[in-house]
């Protein structure tokens, strides 16, 4: 039988009930996935809304990526709940003063928006396949047409208007959804580590960099798999985007940390003890050193020297991989870190992640892989590539 | 809202002969309408969440105003209160889930830092010997103690409870008589409230897969009894009563003492009042 609970070891004084850490690794995965959604959507909006033509090769792919991540977002929460059968209650009977009650609506709205936008974007492909294909797959596409086979110029013009409108609504939607995740943590006055007005923008900017980084990696990988050259202009644009947003993200985090230390409110001694002890590896070495300073310096160097070709691609992809790990570590250090600093302000706890349980390392790994399994199927059904014969807008 | 509902219904009828374009237009309308409904819901007073009074024979929660007092100068750290609470309220017997606990503050001669421990301390767990039994180990018997005292802790049943604010389903709520309760049949087990409580008063009860905490023994006080911890305290360090009754133990306690609350800066406005605690206690 599964152990009912794990008591966390502690030093100093912590409240007795604090020895069972409430939010596990899954709650660190949840903002990570939401962040990828918001970041990938931002990438697609740069083309769909802001008309940056250089991002055309990844625009539709970004949209599919965003959708695939979004479909997995509710799972870590569901797996965390003590009463998963009551998961829909916050939507049916919401308690409106709770920051969490909005999640169901925000996520539901956003899933619908992503589904709609993807549908409009891939409608020409869906119609073409519905006409050609036989068998179950033919039925699949025929159902997806929703009975509309109209690909006339008038219809396509109408679709484009919808894509544009949805992308515009999607920007505050995606960013609101993620900024709000930051608010869930930042609004809790019980934990000094979380309680900060800067939490929503910090979450937002780290979300954007994680989404852009993910697309850099996925786009480069897809080009290799499809044996086509990487679009240099597009990759360079993504390099700039990643670099630019990283500047904001790092600055915000630095300001937040500085003001936490500078304010020096009750419990600061323990926070500093935590920062200078258990946080050395996960925060200073991995998140800040390896996954922030190195990629940002590398990107700066490449931009400064005007690096081109394969050097730019491999440099950007490696930086992006580091950023992806860095943002995951940031989520961990916020969610788990906040709970390792006791509410008493007088002690520290240590969270041990179980390997094989409902809320464990294995579950977290499955949830992190799941969006890409979905994506690998989605790109087969709805090829987002420019050369796949899909009519572009 | 009703008119909106009708409007949506009308549109739904139109839909049958309308094409896909119209459907999409309608979809935007429904989303907009839903948004208006949400905003309207957000304006409803919070009190609507607790519209139904509990069905307790002979008890009217509008007629009571419960509060709790702790005189830390009297507490001897015997932990009868903790054991009584665990039995009375079916609290898991392990030393990591408590509706109430007692903290020990000890300052040794020549030291500035205060040593604090409680029932979850490994040394005290060993001294207790078994789950369901709680003892403070005699760990300072060879030390020169300068100052020492005990502080009983429990849910503060705050006037502005952060836990109630964050509950996404309203499973935890403030009653009219002052208690903060949890409806275990509604709790989804997200533990957001556990995070929000600055006092560490809440815990996740794995046996019922829902959040749990002190209720001031609501099942007892609504029948005219004292909470179990108050009942068993041999030195009357715990005081409980109805503030609407000027002669109740709590009214007298509040009148005769200069009291303090824990973490007043949190804005939660606790309703457990302390006498005789030191600056380290929070």
């Amino acid at each position: 039988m599964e152990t009912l609970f794990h008591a966390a070891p502690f030093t100093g004084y912590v409240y007795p009930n604090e020895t069972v850490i409430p939010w596990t690794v899954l709650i660190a995965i949840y903002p990570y996935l939401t962040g990828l959604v918001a970041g990938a959507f931002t990438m697609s909006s740069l083309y769909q809304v802001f008309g940056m033509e250089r991002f055309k090769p990844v625009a539709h792919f970004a949209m599919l990526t965003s959708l695939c991540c979004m479909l997995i977002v509710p799972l870590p929460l569901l797996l965390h709940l003590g009463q998963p059968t009551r998961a829909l209650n916050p939507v049916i009977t919401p308690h409106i003063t709770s920051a969490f009650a909005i999640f169901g609506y925000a996520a539901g709205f956003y899933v619908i928006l992503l589904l709609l936008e993807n549908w409009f974007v891939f409608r020409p492909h869906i119609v073409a396949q519905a006409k050609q294909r036989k068998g179950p797959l033919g039925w699949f596409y025929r159902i997806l047409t929703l009975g509309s086979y109209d690909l006339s110029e008038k219809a396509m013009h109408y679709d484009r208007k919808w894509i544009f409108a949805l992308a515009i609504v999607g920007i505050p939607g995606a960013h609101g959804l993620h900024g709000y995740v930051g608010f869930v943590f930042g609004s809790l006055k019980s934990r000094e580590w979380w309680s900060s007005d800067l939490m929503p923008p910090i979450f937002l900017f780290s979300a954007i960099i994680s989404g852009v980084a993910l697309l850099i990696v996925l786009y480069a990988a897809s080009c290799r798999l499809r044996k086509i050259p990487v679009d240099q202009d597009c990759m360079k644009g993504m390099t700039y985007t990643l670099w630019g947003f990283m500047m904001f993200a790092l600055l915000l985090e630095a300001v937040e940390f500085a003001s936490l230390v500078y304010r020096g409110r009750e419990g600061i001694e323990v926070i500093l003890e935590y920062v200078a002890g258990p946080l050395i590896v996960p925060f200073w070495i991995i998140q800040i050193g390896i996954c922030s300073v190195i990629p940002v310096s590398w990107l700066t160097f490449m931009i400064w020297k005007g690096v081109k070709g394969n050097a730019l691609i491999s440099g950007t992809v490696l930086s992006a991989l580091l950023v992806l790990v860095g943002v995951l570590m940031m989520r961990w250090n916020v969610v788990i870190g906040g709970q390792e600093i006791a509410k008493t302000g007088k002690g520290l706890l240590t969270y041990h992640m179980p390997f094989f349980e409902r809320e464990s390392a294995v579950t977290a790994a499955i949830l992190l892989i799941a969006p890409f399994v979905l994506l690998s199927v989605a790109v087969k059904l709805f090829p987002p590539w420019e050369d796949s014969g899909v009519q572009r807008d | 809202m009703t008119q909106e509902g009708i409007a949506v219904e009308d549109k739904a009828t139109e839909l049958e002969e309308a094409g896909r374009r119209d459907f999409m237009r309608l979809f935007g309308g429904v989303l907009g309408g839903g948004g208006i409904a949400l905003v309207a819901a957000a304006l409803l007073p919070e009190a609507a969440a607790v519209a139904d009074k509990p069905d307790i024979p002979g008890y009217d929660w509008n007629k009571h105003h419960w509060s709790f007092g702790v005189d830390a100068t009297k507490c001897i750290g015997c932990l009868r209160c903790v054991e009584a609470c665990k039995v009375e309220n079916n609290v898991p017997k392990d030393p990591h889930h408590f509706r109430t606990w007692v903290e020990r503050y000890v300052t040794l001669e020549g030291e500035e830092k205060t040593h604090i421990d409680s029932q979850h301390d490994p040394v005290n767990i060993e001294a207790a010997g078994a789950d369901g039994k709680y003892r403070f180990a005699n760990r300072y018997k060879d030390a020169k103690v300068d100052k020492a005292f005990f502080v009983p802790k429990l849910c503060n049943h705050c006037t502005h409870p952060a836990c109630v604010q964050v509950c996404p389903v309203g499973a935890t709520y403030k009653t009219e008589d002052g208690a903060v309760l949890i409806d275990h049949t509604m709790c989804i087990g997200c533990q957001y409230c556990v995070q929000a409580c600055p006092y560490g008063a809440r815990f996740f009860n794995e046996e019922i897969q829902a959040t749990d905490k002190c209720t001031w023994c609501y099942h007892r006080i609504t029948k005219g009894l004292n909470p179990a911890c108050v009942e068993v305290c041999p030195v009357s360090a715990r005081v409980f009563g109805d503030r609407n009754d000027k002669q109740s133990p709590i009214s007298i306690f509040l009148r005769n003492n200069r009291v303090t609350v824990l973490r007043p800066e949190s804005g939660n406005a606790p309703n457990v009042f302390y006498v005789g605690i030191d600056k380290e206690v929070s």
Side-chain angles (χ1 to χ4, degrees), chain B residues 5 16 63 78 135 166 169 209 212 220 233 241 243 274:
Chain B
E16 284 171 24
K63 292 186 176 154
C78 68
R135 299 285 180 274
V166 302
V169 290
Q209 287 291 309
D212 211 348
R220 290 172 59 89
C233 181
R243 287 171 74 179
Y274 284 85

Side-chain angles (χ1 to χ4, degrees), chain B residues 84-181:
Chain B
C85 173
K86 289 253 185 180
V87 173
E88 177 70 28
N89 296 299
N90 255 329
V91 182
K93 298 290 186 286
D94 62 82
H96 301 279
H97 300 79
F98 293 96
R99 286 187 175 203
T100 184
W101 66 98
V102 179
E103 296 170 352
R104 171 167 65 180
Y105 291 73
V106 176
T107 318
L108 301 178
E109 275 182 21
E111 283 186 9
E112 270 192 26
K113 200 166 175 275
T114 306
H115 301 262
I116 313 170
D117 64 348
S118 187
Q119 284 74 74
H120 60 311
D121 191 289
V123 177
N124 293 334
I125 292 173
E126 204 184 324
D131 276 357
K133 300 264 177 250
Y134 307 96
R135 299 285 180 274
F136 274 112
N138 196 4
R139 66 202 302 179
Y140 300 108
K141 63 181 172 192
D142 299 322
K144 285 204 160 74
V145 175
D146 189 40
K147 185 181 189 180
F149 59 95
F150 295 101
V151 181
K153 290 275 187 84
L154 64 155
C155 169
N156 285 288
H157 295 268
C158 305
T159 304
H160 307 298
C163 53
V164 170
Q165 182 188 28
V166 302
C167 177
V169 290
T172 186
Y173 56 99
K174 181 88 182 157
T175 61
E176 289 298 317
D177 52 13
V180 173
L181 302 179

Side-chain angles (χ1 to χ4, degrees), chain B residues 73-88:
Chain B
T73 59
K74 289 182 178 169
C75 180
I76 56 172
C78 68
L79 303 177
R80 290 299 86 92
C81 49
V82 177
E83 293 183 358
C85 173
K86 289 253 185 180
V87 173
E88 177 70 28

Side-chain angles (χ1 to χ4, degrees), chain B residues 47 49-64 66 173-183 215 218-223:
Chain B
V50 202
D52 303 323
K53 281 197 279 182
D55 188 19
I56 303 168
Y59 182 75
D60 182 355
W61 72 2
N62 291 308
K63 292 186 176 154
H64 302 275
W66 305 111
Y173 56 99
K174 181 88 182 157
T175 61
E176 289 298 317
D177 52 13
V180 173
L181 302 179
I182 304 170
D183 185 342
T215 62
Y218 202 72
H219 59 292
R220 290 172 59 89
I221 62 175
T222 50
K223 294 183 183 72

